[in-house]
Amino acid sequence: MRETVWGGCTRRALQAGSTAEMDRGSWVRGCLNGVANAPEQLPTGPVTKRTTDAKLLERFRAWARTKGEAQLVDHARTLVAVQLTERDYDVELSTDYPAGSGNPGSESLAHSFVEWWDGDHGRDGIARNVLILGADGKRMTAKRI
């Protein structure tokens, strides 16, 4: 139960990889139901909700520039809050980084975002992870917040 409380189900959804990528919220819900021995409640449609947040991206960029990381955050194109459950969400930063994993810039950007993210910046719920997406929209890096 402790694993669920501390975001274990959201972490498992990330670890499921491309299989869960389209609707991580469904994976989280299934995990939570399984841990709680709840009756199976199959969703009637996609569970994950994505909301673009340009203001939050600008606040992150402004902070990063004061830290001398302007070159790093200039690669960030959009910030999306990905609601997985009523209270849990991930943050996705889309970048112009070329496809492929292991880009040191994506790792640095994720680290910088986690350093900046002090609390949930006025959003309801709990942010669990930051995902850095490449120019092709695929995950390059995921870091726990």
Side-chain angles (χ1 to χ4, degrees), residues 32 35 42 58 88 116 135:
L32 292 171
V35 171
L42 298 175
E58 276 311 309
D88 297 295
W116 170 73

Side-chain angles (χ1 to χ4, degrees), residues 10-11 14 89-91 127-131 143-145:
T10 57
R11 198 166 36 259
L14 276 179
Y89 64 96
D90 287 340
V91 176
R128 299 292 182 177
N129 306 285
V130 61
L131 287 75
K143 189 161 180 65
R144 197 169 170 194
I145 296 178

Side-chain angles (χ1 to χ4, degrees), residues 95 97-104 106 132-141:
T95 68
Y97 289 127
S101 61
N103 183 317
S106 69
I132 307 300
L133 309 178
D136 61 355
K138 293 188 178 165
R139 183 187 330 162
M140 299 179 79
T141 303

Side-chain angles (χ1 to χ4, degrees), residues 51-64:
T51 307
T52 303
D53 195 332
K55 288 181 183 179
L56 194 58
L57 176 59
E58 276 311 309
R59 289 193 345 229
F60 170 54
R61 282 180 173 157
W63 174 87

